[in-house]
Every structure is written in C-alpha cells, then in structure tokens.
Amino acid sequence: MIKTKILLLAVFVCLFCAANLYAQSEEKFDFYTRGEYRPQVPRPQSILRYDVGDFHTTYAQMEKVIEAIAKAAPDRVKIYDIGLTNEYRMQHIVAISSPENMARLDEIKANNQRLVDSRATNPAQAAQISQNQPVISWMAYTIHGNESASFETMMQVVYQLAASDQLETQAILQNNVVLIITGENPDGHERFATWYNSVATGNADRNALEHREPWSIWGRYNHFRFDLNRDNIAATQVETKNLQKAFFEWNPQIVVDHHGQPSQFFFPPAALPINPNLPQPQTNRWMEIFGRANARSFDANRWDYYVRDIFDLFYPGYWDSYPSLNGAIGMTYETDGGGFKGLNWTRDDGTIVTFRSAIAKHFVASMTTLETAAKNRADRLKDYYDFRRTGIDEVRTEKIKRIVIDPSRDWVKTADLIEILQRARIEVRWSPNFTQTSAHDYADGKNSTAAKSKTFTGGAYIVDLAQPQKRLAKAILEPDTPQDAAFVRDQMAKFRRNELRGKLQSKEEYAFYDITAWNLPLAFGVDAYWSENAATIPNANLIDENFLAQLRAQKIRFTRAEIAYIIPYSQDAAAIAAIRLLKANFRVSVATRTLNALGTNFPSGTFVIRVGRNQPTIHQAIENLAQELGLTVFAVNTGFQDAGDTGIGGENVVALQNPKIAMIADEAVSQTSYGSLWWTLDRYKIEFTPLTINSIRGGALKNYTVLIAPDGAAGRYSSALGAGGITTLKTWINGGGTLITMRGSSVFAALKDVGLTSSKLVGSDDDEDLDKKPKENDVDKRQEAESQPSPSPTPAPNRNRQAEPEASPTPEPRTDKQDWQSPMLPPIASPSANAGKVPEPIPGAIMRATVDRTNYLTYGIETETLPVLLASGYFFRPSKEGTNALVFEAQPKQLLTVAGFVWEGNTEKLLRGTAYLIDEPTGSGHVILFAEEPFFRGIFRSTTRPFFNSILFNGSF
Ligand SMILES: [Zn+2]
C-alpha cells in the first residue's frame, strides 16, 4: 500500500519531467560506487545543478567543472590549453595521474619521446625506460559534436580520477598518465547542445522534433562543416592541428575516441578491412585484449554490445587508425544513446535507451580501458617501441623504399603537403638537384610501367621510408593501399548477386566504409615518384621547421612594374590573386593565346594586370598578394614583345569581370560539400554570399554573377526549387549568370525536367546508350532514395549506419564512418536486364581524366591528364552542345583507375567516354558541371584551377 502510494507519487512528480518517466524503464546507473572520494573535490553535479543525463552541458559550463576539479586536486590534475577553435573556444587536455607521476611529468614525456626512435634508443635501453614509465592514455571525447553522451562522460571520468581513493583507481593513476581531451569539436557540440536543450521535452517518440536536428545546426561537424574524424590525413582544420600538435608532443600508447550512437554499444576488435600498414598480429592482439576486458565489464552489467562489425580501420584519417599508425592502440567506442536519440529514444523492440545509460556505458568502458592499460603497461610500452623499430626493418623487404615529391607543378601547394608531413613528424629531405634512378610515376597508378631515371633540376623533397614514422608515412603517401583479397572477393560476390536482383528487391550492402584512395600527391595534383632504390643522395638534407619559410622568402618575386604585371598560371595562387584583385575593383586580363613578354612565351591563361588601367594602389595590392599567397609576379616595362602576335597590349588579352559569388546553403545541400567550398573560399579570403533556395526563388540572384550549387540530393534540389525556381534559375543563366554544379547537383542539372545540360547521366532513363529502357524513371528513384528521409525515422536493425534517424534533412550520398545521416549510395534499382549498363557506385577512387587544353576551364593545367576523385555512380555522357573540358577517354591505352577500388566489369567499362567537367553555354551564361566535388574534405585539390577558372572566366568569353 505504502509502496503503491510512493509509486503514484513518483509518477505524479515525473509528469513534470518526461525524461525521468521514460528513464524508469531501466535501472538508474550510479556513477559513485568507485570511492572513497576525497571530499574537497566537487562532483560535476554540484556545479551544473542537474543530475547526470538530465540535461546537456554547454562548453563553458564544462570548463567551470574541470577548472573546479583541477583547483581542488592539484596533486593529480593539470589542465593544458592546446589551441582555439574557429569560434574562439579553447581546447583543453586534462592530464591526470598519481601525485608522484605529476611531479615528474616532463621527465615522463622526455622518456616517452625516447621510445619513438629506435635509431637512438636500443631495445635494452627501451626496456630500461619502460620499467619505471607509465603508459600515456589519450581519452578523447566528442569529435562529433552531436554525439553528446561522450561529452558528459568525460566530466565523470575526470572526477573519478581526480577524487577517488579506490584501489583500482589508484592503480590507474600509478600506471597511466591519462590525457582527457575535453572536447575535440567544441563548436559542433555547442550548436547541438544549445539547440537540443532549447527544444527538448525528453520525448522518446522517434518522430519528436528533438530527434531532428536542423540543417544549420548539425553538430556532428565543426564550424566549417568538416568531419573531424576524417581530417587527420591532411589536417586541414584548426581543431585537427591543435590535437595533432598535442598528440605528437605526448606520443600516447592508448587512444580511445568516444562516439555514439548505433543500436548497441560498439568497441573493437574493429571490422574488416584493416589498413595493411598496421602490423599483424600485434594490432589484433591488442584489440582483443581491450575488447575482452570491455566485454567482461559489459556482461557484468548485462549491457548489449558488438564487435568486428561496421567500424573498420582502413582509411588512415580516423582518430583510431591514425593513432594506430603511430604505434598506439587506437580504438573507436560507440555508445547507444544520447545525440539524436536525445534524453530518451524508443528502440526497435519498444524499450527505451536513455541519455544517462549511454553515458554510463562510455564511463564504464573508459574506466575498464584505463584499468586494462594499467595492467598491460610494460607490454604495451614494449610493443610501442617495437612498432617503429620493426617498421624501419620491414622497409628492407618491401618494394617502396623512397618517395620523391616534385614541387614544380605548384611549389606553394607542395609546401602545404610537406607541412602536413612535418606536422606528423615524418622526416623529409630536400635536394636542390639530383637524379633518382628506377623512379615510378604516381600518375601511372595501377598501370605497371618500367621505372625510369628522373632528374630534378629544380630540387625535390625526398621521403625515405626507413624512418620511425614509416608506417604512417607509407599509409598516407603510398600510391595505392591494397585491399585484402578475401574482402574484395566477398564484395564482388555481393555485387554479382545484386546485379541479378530485380528492382524491387533490396540489395546486399557492401562493407566499404569510406573512400579507398587518398594518397596526398595525387589528391593535391602534385607530381610524385616512388622507388625501390633508396641509395644515399649526397646533397639531400633533412628539412627543419624553418625550411618552408625560407623557401617562401626565396620564391616570392615582386618588382615594381612600369607597364604591366604578369602572373603566370603555374600555381593555384595565380587564380586566387586574380579573383582577389577583381573583387577589389582592380582590372585584370587574361591572355587567351600564347603571350610573349620579357623574351619569354607564357601559355594562354596567363594573367596580365596593366598599370595604366589601374589606380596607383595596384602596386601595393599585388605586392601584398605576392607575400600572402607566395606568388611569382613578373614586372614588364615595355609593351613591345620580341616575338609572336600577342604582347601585353594584344587583342587576345581579354578583360575579366568582377565575379559576384553566391552559394546555395540549404536543406538540399550536403553540409560537408558546402563546408569544403566555404573553407576553401575562406582560406583564400574570397568573399561569397550563402543563399537559401527560398531567396533564390525570390529573385536574390540578380545581385550575383556566379552561383555555386554544392553536392546535394538532386531530387531535393528539384523539389525545393520547384518549377518556378528552376525557371528563375534558367532566366538568370540566360542573362549571363554562371551556375557551377558538382556531383549530386550536376545530376540535378541533368534531370530531364530540369534540363540545364545536354549531358545525360549514364544508366538513367533518358540515357540513349541504354538499350532497353525501364518503364519507370530509375534516376528519379535513385535520387529519391538518397534524398528523402525515410517515412519513419526507424533505424533498421544492425546495419543502422545506413538507416539513420533522418534527423538531418541532408543525407549525404556517401557511406561515412558512424555517420548516421549518411547512407551509402543505395545500389541503383536497375532491372537485371540492365545489368552491366548502370554504374555501380564506387566508394572513392582516383581516376585519370584527360585534359582538353584548348578550353578556358583548363587554363593553368599543362599536363595531358589530371588525377580526379570519383566517389559515386554518377557518370556523365559528354555534352552535345557544350565543351567537355575533362573527359575519361573512350579508348584509353591505360586503365582509367589510378588508385583505389572499382567494380570489375562495371566501373572502367561504363566510365569510358564520359565527361568529368562540362561547360554548357546557355544564352549569355554558362552551366559548369563537375562530376565530383572539387575540394572533397579539403584533401582533394587537383581540380582547384578548373574550379576557380569556372568562377573567373565566365562572362568574359
Ligand atoms: Zn562519431
């Protein structure tokens, strides 16, 4: 009776608090059973004023918590500031260890540093160091800002380690230096937490508003909408730079990246494929040790989990694979609640997963991991040392021993690449002039060609793989990373079975998690070679941190001109300078023929700035740009050319227009695509205006000459614009506007009822090359599948990375590790009659495009071919009415695939004779179609010049 009364009272009270009502469906986890606790250390709740999992903590509140704890426990805790985010939040590392370890932190760091170079420390010395050395455990939280359970967990872990006198916790502190990364993505977290707190009712209904994060919030990404868990390869984002700097200062042996939120908790062992540069069986052995320990803890709590599924270890840019390639054991943990699931979420069996329970699971996994690290301390340190030692050894038996990177294609862009390597502590040499024998050209890719001797008279960078960072260097630089043969066979078998399935039958899902090619030289569009021959080059010296600055000082050329400035288009910076000058209302021209000046021929595409046509401030403006962008500028003091018909005053030196740039920023648009364009324009200080589709329909385009449509779902572009919006767009283009589309937005342009191009999508309903036309419009279906949120936001059981809750209206047509908003391109619903006629989407490979060098879109490209990323099944027939500036040859002498995985019997065959870059003149304007994003993740930059050309030159020809 009394019990009933209490229960009734509880229910009554909880009517005012929906969260707790649902939370009663499971036992409330107690975070404070691992004491005794030191009373002077404040619990997070005493500062936050709410219980664990009742509310989302903002970044500033969290800072108050860790500061209060650090202040109360100075013997164990020290906070390091490691750098600002784009939105001026400070990123922190909280170092926690025993008082004895804290008193000698610098010594521990220095000893640890000695374990990374086996050339300076022999195994006996390493063993000696390891005896009295704790492991460094890097516990990172909230890289995806909307995976909110990890953020709250972090404060509980900090408190536990700072306050508890429990024996097990003491053992952790004695054997670990724990580095808590308090927020890998503070800006994304803040967007999500503030939004969620402001709308949430704690409702478990999957359709509730709080489970549908708006486009402009989407806290997974950082400020520039980059996925920070893909960014380690090129470290484009400030958060990645902050973290990498700290990472290489501490050299941790254990790394855990805390995420959310699949159906059940995930911890390693990881799924296949595993990057072949990781040493086996060591990598698997450590994943087993930690995995089994976590399993014991979870079994004891009767919590569900899975291992060896979905979350792979192949792409080297994740925060598990990248640390692993540095000798740590890098692990991804995924808890099952919080984030889009909010405070409460109904599972597929009707039970409720709460925010608090998701925090509890991460908390237990964090503590178990640190206990396991403590128990295996000596063994882990030994393996960490051996990782680099054996890495150096294995070069002897491997083919690729040296990589040479040639800066002649663009020295600034190459310097950016070298800076990435320096940041990753990869040793790079420079020789001003040398010959490399048996050099294999990266551009040949999968086509085996004979090695040649190659002389670098202008100097080149040399990466010898026999160095401590061998495994990481090879993983991000090798021309192609081989896939496991059995894994590929398995995927090919699925592909063949899928081809036979009817259009209404669901297809088997492939296990690729991410792109399969990323090597930095090809991604950047920089020339590179590898060699079996690593014989010493006498004048090759290790470059230090000042080298690039010194090179820059040498390379920048500026002298004041009397008549004109010439900016040769031999670096991306030339186009950027031209746009910047135009936008500052200076007058810039381009030579459309070979230009002769200073006794030299400059190819068409060379920029000319005439002194007499500009204000006197032009001199300073150009000098400033030269300094900022690393520009080579020539001064011309006479208009009379020595040869040819075109000098700086020639008829074929044509004036360029000041581009007024807008970009679509709206729900049809892929956030990461928009983000990569935003970041690129921002880093070059090129101003643009983000516009919603509603504004465009309402006539906002009249103030602009260029409209960039980032990748997005074609069907959504179409429905958001509507017939009226499409007409508005066409009228604007006819009147002289330039529309730039890429990938999904190019598919939109090619849709029959949109008709912005004469190109057709290969395998689509209106593709004439498809013999037997299906009755229904397959392309539309395919688009639909990508673009429309499923009617119910119900994740399918198990493989639910494909069936995200559709909180985001912007599913991205690419598989994305733990990206619940990004289903992989669904297999095209083609009837089996069309088997072999419809391109199967590829996860992401580097392909060889052939350059039409007579077109203004390819100004600045002086090679016959260009490596480009392709990560879809969108292949475009050549335009019949426009120009096809980059194409895939119809009868190539070599494979079109340079690096990465493609579908045998499908990709190469169907890609032949298609176009990558199309200029479709329309009235007085242009539609420019790219088959893929030009700046994918900020890593791929080989199409930088075509992209800027499409902004620069339209309206002029
Ligand atoms: Zn995540």
Side-chain angles (χ1 to χ4, degrees), residues 546-562:
N546 302 319
F547 178 88
L548 293 176
Q550 286 159 0
L551 180 75
R552 192 181 172 81
Q554 282 168 28
K555 285 277 185 184
I556 293 167
R557 282 187 57 157
F558 176 84
T559 42
R560 202 181 162 95
E562 297 298 326

Side-chain angles (χ1 to χ4, degrees), residues 144 147 220 259-260 818:
H144 295 137
E147 294 167 2
R220 175 184 178 87
H259 294 252
Q818 208 285 299

Side-chain angles (χ1 to χ4, degrees), residues 436-448:
Q436 176 66 47
T437 59
S438 49
H440 299 263
D441 193 340
Y442 269 50
D444 290 334
K446 291 187 189 289
N447 299 288
S448 57

Side-chain angles (χ1 to χ4, degrees), residues 284-355:
N284 274 345
R285 185 172 83 88
W286 283 106
M287 288 196 292
E288 287 280 333
I289 289 170
F290 284 96
R292 287 184 185 280
N294 279 325
R296 280 191 293 276
S297 294
F298 274 55
D299 288 342
N301 281 291
R302 290 182 297 139
W303 287 338
D304 296 322
Y305 57 88
Y306 62 87
V307 298
R308 296 194 200 91
D309 195 12
I310 301 182
F311 303 98
D312 75 338
L313 210 58
F314 192 70
Y315 175 76
Y318 307 133
W319 269 105
D320 54 10
S321 49
Y322 189 85
S324 295
L325 287 159
N326 279 284
I329 178 68
M331 297 180 286
T332 287
Y333 290 1
E334 302 268 353
T335 195
D336 59 352
F340 72 79
K341 295 180 183 173
L343 298 186
N344 295 286
W345 172 263
T346 311
R347 291 198 189 97
D348 54 4
D349 60 2
T351 59
I352 306 287
V353 60
T354 66
F355 189 31

Side-chain angles (χ1 to χ4, degrees), residues 870-905:
L870 214 57
S872 77
Y874 301 147
F875 301 172
F876 294 85
R877 298 273 175 227
S879 160
K880 290 185 175 137
E881 291 161 18
T883 306
N884 301 287
L886 290 170
V887 297
F888 299 108
E889 272 189 49
Q891 285 159 335
K893 290 179 211 77
Q894 293 182 304
L895 285 175
L896 295 171
T897 312
V898 182
F901 173 86
V902 299
W903 297 106
E904 196 188 318

Side-chain angles (χ1 to χ4, degrees), residues 143-147 220 227 229 257-261 332-334 817-820:
I143 193 157
H144 295 137
N146 60 3
E147 294 167 2
R220 175 184 178 87
D227 188 332
N229 201 29
D257 206 29
H258 295 79
H259 294 252
Q261 37 279 310
T332 287
Y333 290 1
E334 302 268 353
K817 187 170 189 176
Q818 208 285 299
D819 190 340
W820 308 102

